[in-house]
Amino acid sequence: MSRLLSFTSILALIAASASAADMNFNRLASIATPLNMAQGEDNNRETSSEIIAASEDGQRVVYTDSPLGVLGMIDISDAANPKPLGNIEMGGEPTSVTVIGSNAFAAINTSEDFITVGGKLVTIDLDGKSVTAECDLGGQPDSIARAKDGSFIVVAIENERDEDLNDGVIPQMPAGQVAMIDVSEGVADCASLRFADITGLAEVAPEDPEPEFVDVNGLGETVVTLQENNHLVVLDRDGEVVSHFSAGSVTLENVDLTDERGALRFTETQADRKREPDAVKWIDDNHFATANEGDYEGGSRGWTIFNKDGTVVYESGTSFEYAVIEAGHYPDKRSDAKGVEPESIEFASFDGVPYVFVGAERASVVGVYDVTDPAAPVLTQLLPSGIAPEGIVALPSRNLLVTANEADLIEDGGVRSHVMVYERQEAPAAYPQITSAGAGELIGWGALSGLAADPDNNGTLYAVNDSFYGYQPTIFTIDATRTPARITSALEVTRGGQPAQKLDLEGVTLDGEGGFWLASEGRSDRLVPHALYHVNSKGVIKQEIPLPAELLANEIRFGMEGIARAGDTLWMPVQRSWKDDAKGEVKLLAYNTETEEWGAVRYPLDVPADKGWVGLSDIEFHGDFAYIIERDNQIGAAAAIKKIYRVAMSDMDPAPIGSELPLVAKEEVRDLLPDLKSLNGFVVDKVEGLAIDSDGKAYIVTDNDGVDDSSGETLFFTVDAMASVSN
């Protein structure tokens, strides 16, 4: 059943991508949260956009920033050019925010520890950017929500557990509860604070409810998720229980439950997996949707629509995760945990079409579902988001959707937390640009590196994955004549009947006889050899050719990146300078398959713009030139060099290794930065693959690092200028 649901959703995704007349959500802009820091502040501090809300006129958004202890504000009056409005100190850890009139209301955690808990509701004047009032909440808050009419606010007082105590198992006192506060003319009435007692309801630790998320419907009823308790509660506006029930469980079939092997194999079963929902949103006055992230005993990898009487109206099962897999966003390192982890959820109607938006924290995508029929939602799109979407807010009056993406990788020199803005527009879906949807079987993929074109079939390409999938080295066949491009088959590279080990595939080219030559970037400290591999049409390694000893004597970690064949000669760029290279130069290695001789030429690298390094990523031949990707290792705003250069084939005259190598001249063909910015996200660092067909059309693909500390986005696009520049 789950596979059928996935196939139905994929048909909708394909249709949405193919039709320009359809309305689709596309990303307009991204803004990094460090831009909200004041001049002179340390921008290298961790910052994060988490829960997000919009002003009632839709011109501004506010988000909680837990690491900095602030509420951040962004001007989206020009949605394509968001502007930072600064941060407002909260005097504690903000956990959630909502807006009524001209005021924002933020829940702030002030707890000393897990026993001495505390919190407050803070009122912020959005125009004055200042705190105007505070209400003591008497406990540690999590989610906050407003009544539709703005007459009261609900706060989930979680009093969260200590995950290091008793392995995080509950009960752990004090128990949680739900706070309600009246609002009059946009001002919170602290004296009206009251609590709804929700103890004794759940099957799991009934004495210790831990409310996670709240939302209010048009009747003034509040739905509450008790994530750790795997329970749902509906309260009336006076805090009385209307209904309550277990969130239940789901049996997941054909999923990947192992992360250590570095392979995408969806063959296992997880029986009776507790949903343990996180975010919840009302769809109408009788139905609500949950994102089933899971906590310490659960996480069903999907989302559910419930009737408030406890009836399950719709269960996504594995269909959402399957769509994520086909888009290349599956986080394999989370296979033994909770997979894609749907955490955030939003509901809104755009031009009469009701949508549920599901944010997958670990996959960094947002699923867009048409829920016209709540019993049969249709997945219409997957939107690329920043890393770890935590909050989503829809603005139907402006045809906008905004996501807050919490991960900030500053400690690793990576991309920062971002807020991203999308517009519903009459245009094709811009993403994904490559997918395995529609293949005869479920094909998981990611970390695409080398790319090659079939010289006899324009639009047929081949790609390989790198060592992130060390137990599943694979050659993918791509039909690039379709939009989005389609991965149609996957051929595993084998040795002795088993997936070949100790490979880091970074290049692929056809051998002219039905097989392939592969370039593997070695790493001697991990016993991965720098080598070429000749494989047949079935993916079986028939020959291994190590680099010569005189080359290996000067090796560093960064080896061959890419491979191309010109007659009997294979050419492989070395990504970075080895010990015997002059500063700012690398080798283009040559291997003659007939004479078995090695040679090389020298290639001059661009100078890094500010920091990091510059190296090569792939090579391809067309006409009288070799085309080479040269890039820096910088991401986001720091990215400066992502280019295609060409070298005349007449310069590609290799000298023997150990002799004086000739230096080739290069000519810039294309700056890829505008292409990498075309989806209006941050610039990815790894432009990895280049292929050129016989008509001169070039194809470029980026490496998404297996969705590990990455947004998972894979850009796949074409450049039509190669034919003209080759003449």
Side-chain angles (χ1 to χ4, degrees):
M1 171 64 78
S2 60
R3 184 60 182 151
L4 177 59
L5 287 171
S6 177
F7 183 70
T8 302
S9 295
I10 292 307
L11 290 180
L13 281 171
I14 292 172
S17 299
S19 174
D22 287 338
M23 299 295 292
N24 288 291
F25 291 90
N26 285 316
R27 188 166 50 197
L28 276 185
S30 304
I31 182 170
T33 56
L35 294 175
N36 258 332
M37 295 187 196
Q39 186 175 2
E41 287 191 66
D42 180 6
N43 287 346
N44 291 321
R45 293 176 298 158
E46 182 184 0
T47 172
S48 179
S49 56
E50 298 162 303
I51 304 303
I52 192 165
S55 60
E56 293 196 351
D57 62 3
Q59 302 298 303
R60 290 170 289 183
V61 291
V62 291
Y63 62 86
T64 59
D65 186 333
S66 173
L68 291 183
V70 301
L71 198 69
M73 297 181 62
I74 297 173
D75 177 357
I76 59 167
S77 56
D78 179 357
N81 295 283
K83 295 179 176 59
L85 292 176
N87 294 323
I88 305 169
E89 293 288 340
M90 288 291 102
E93 176 197 11
T95 61
S96 188
V97 64
T98 191
V99 174
I100 301 174
S102 61
N103 288 330
F105 297 86
I108 311 298
N109 177 21
T110 60
S111 301
E112 296 180 18
D113 51 43
F114 293 101
I115 297 174
T116 311
V117 295
K120 58 186 179 180
L121 177 70
V122 173
T123 303
I124 303 100
D125 178 352
L126 292 177
D127 296 326
K129 301 180 185 178
S130 60
V131 173
T132 58
E134 295 184 357
C135 299
D136 184 11
L137 293 174
Q140 177 258 311
D142 195 333
S143 170
I144 185 174
R146 54 163 285 179
K148 302 294 184 188
D149 61 5
S151 62
F152 67 94
I153 286 173
V154 181
V155 185
I157 306 297
E158 183 178 15
N159 294 335
E160 64 183 349
R161 73 192 195 285
D162 182 351
E163 295 183 9
D164 295 326
L165 177 64
N166 193 27
D167 292 328
V169 176
I170 56 174
Q172 292 184 25
M173 297 297 127
Q177 54 190 342
V178 177
M180 295 181 171
I181 302 176
D182 292 336
V183 177
S184 178
E185 297 182 355
V187 178
D189 178 8
C190 298
S192 70
L193 174 65
R194 56 201 181 276
F195 296 98
D197 181 5
I198 52 176
T199 59
L201 302 180
E203 297 172 9
V204 178
E207 68 272 38
D208 181 23
E210 297 205 2
E212 187 83 15
F213 214 95
V214 290
D215 193 42
V216 184
N217 68 11
L219 302 176
E221 296 172 332
T222 299
V223 58
V224 187
T225 61
L226 310 182
Q227 185 173 33
E228 289 82 356
N229 310 86
N230 196 39
H231 209 76
L232 293 156
V233 179
V234 178
L235 305 170
D236 66 18
R237 64 184 305 128
D238 296 320
E240 298 298 320
V241 175
V242 174
S243 63
H244 73 92
F245 43 89
S246 169
S249 62
V250 180
T251 292
L252 302 170
E253 297 180 344
N254 299 317
V255 292
D256 189 344
L257 301 177
T258 308
D259 71 334
E260 290 86 0
R261 62 188 172 202
L264 300 175
R265 304 199 186 282
F266 306 100
T267 59
E268 297 163 284
T269 297
Q270 197 168 50
D272 301 322
R273 184 71 167 177
K274 292 179 181 177
R275 289 189 175 96
E276 291 186 348
D278 187 338
V280 62
K281 280 289 181 177
W282 288 97
I283 293 175
D284 54 37
D285 289 340
N286 294 305
H287 301 90
F288 54 80
T290 62
N292 303 326
E293 177 203 24
D295 204 281
Y296 66 104
E297 290 185 351
S300 59
R301 305 186 178 213
W303 67 286
T304 308
I305 296 178
F306 290 92
N307 188 294
K308 67 183 178 184
D309 66 8
T311 305
V312 173
V313 176
Y314 168 78
E315 168 56 49
S316 71
T318 58
S319 64
F320 178 54
E321 184 162 275
Y322 277 12
V324 170
I325 291 166
E326 289 166 329
H329 277 257
Y330 182 76
D332 187 46
K333 284 193 173 181
R334 301 296 299 175
S335 290
D336 67 335
K338 295 169 284 185
V340 300
E341 281 189 41
E343 181 177 20
S344 50
I345 205 158
E346 171 69 312
F347 169 81
S349 291
F350 287 76
D351 293 331
V353 180
Y355 289 102
V356 166
F357 304 91
V358 183
E361 179 185 15
R362 300 294 180 172
S364 296
V365 294
V366 175
V368 181
Y369 285 84
D370 180 338
V371 291
T372 300
D373 180 356
V378 176
L379 177 62
T380 62
Q381 283 186 264
L382 285 178
L383 303 179
S385 197
I387 304 177
E390 176 82 4
I392 309 173
V393 62
L395 292 77
S397 64
R398 297 193 61 203
N399 256 358
L400 298 179
L401 182 77
V402 185
T403 66
N405 303 278
E406 67 174 334
D408 187 344
L409 305 182
I410 181 61
E411 289 188 3
D412 300 321
V415 75
R416 309 303 301 271
S417 172
H418 277 72
V419 170
M420 297 191 170
V421 183
Y422 308 79
E423 182 181 52
R424 186 171 181 263
Q425 51 191 222
E426 189 173 320
Y431 194 85
Q433 296 182 328
I434 182 170
T435 174
S436 65
E441 60 180 341
L442 181 64
I443 298 176
W445 61 276
L448 299 183
S449 51
L451 197 63
D454 187 328
D456 299 322
N457 296 284
N458 282 350
T460 297
L461 309 178
Y462 301 92
V464 290
N465 55 8
D466 67 22
S467 60
F468 185 88
Y469 302 103
Y471 285 76
Q472 198 179 30
T474 303
I475 302 170
F476 299 97
T477 302
I478 301 170
D479 179 359
T481 66
R482 306 172 71 185
T483 302
R486 304 291 163 75
I487 295 175
T488 58
S489 64
L491 178 69
E492 291 195 23
V493 178
T494 62
R495 182 191 285 120
Q498 298 296 321
Q501 302 297 292
K502 302 297 182 182
L503 299 180
D504 183 6
L505 301 182
E506 296 289 352
V508 58
T509 192
L510 285 76
D511 67 359
E513 300 173 352
F516 302 90
W517 284 99
L518 308 176
S520 181
E521 181 180 32
R523 187 164 178 179
S524 295
D525 62 335
R526 296 182 181 176
L527 302 181
V528 178
H530 296 273
L532 302 177
Y533 294 90
H534 195 190
V535 305
N536 65 15
S537 61
K538 296 181 179 180
V540 178
I541 294 177
K542 308 303 290 186
Q543 185 181 12
E544 177 179 345
I545 303 171
L547 292 188
E550 55 265 45
L551 268 176
L552 293 176
N554 294 291
E555 71 165 305
I556 63 168
R557 170 184 164 190
F558 301 90
M560 292 182 291
E561 289 265 340
I563 186 171
R565 182 175 65 90
D568 294 331
T569 302
L570 300 171
W571 284 90
M572 293 73 58
V574 177
Q575 185 174 57
R576 293 180 62 186
S577 302
W578 281 20
K579 296 175 185 177
D580 59 337
D581 291 315
K583 183 178 180 180
E585 293 182 1
V586 294
K587 297 184 188 72
L588 303 180
L589 299 178
Y591 178 75
N592 189 296
T593 58
E594 290 297 316
T595 66
E596 301 183 353
E597 294 176 318
W598 286 89
V601 297
R602 295 150 51 216
Y603 177 97
L605 292 171
D606 285 0
V607 177
D610 183 21
K611 57 184 178 179
W613 51 261
V614 173
L616 306 184
S617 280
D618 206 354
I619 184 171
E620 182 68 293
F621 299 129
H622 181 69
D624 297 328
F625 294 92
Y627 292 84
I628 297 169
I629 290 179
E630 186 172 344
R631 67 170 181 88
D632 59 22
N633 67 331
Q634 299 301 296
I635 193 169
I641 301 172
K642 316 287 183 186
K643 296 181 178 182
I644 299 176
Y645 283 97
R646 71 179 186 180
V647 174
M649 292 299 293
S650 57
D651 276 6
M652 302 283 280
D653 185 15
I657 301 298
S659 68
E660 182 66 26
L661 304 179
L663 179 67
V664 301
K666 68 179 186 180
E667 176 187 3
E668 182 176 327
V669 174
R670 188 178 184 91
D671 183 352
L672 296 174
L673 281 175
D675 301 294
L676 297 173
K677 294 176 181 178
S678 64
L679 293 182
N680 300 316
F682 54 79
V683 176
V684 298
D685 54 338
K686 294 187 176 180
V687 186
E688 289 279 299
L690 169 66
I692 305 174
D693 66 22
S694 61
D695 289 339
K697 176 179 284 188
Y699 303 85
I700 293 93
V701 71
T702 64
D703 176 356
N704 72 357
D705 280 332
V707 202
D708 182 31
D709 284 344
S710 164
S711 69
E713 290 186 37
T714 296
L715 278 66
F716 181 93
F717 56 92
T718 61
V719 175
D720 293 321
M722 297 302 170
S724 59
V725 299
S726 296
N727 295 330

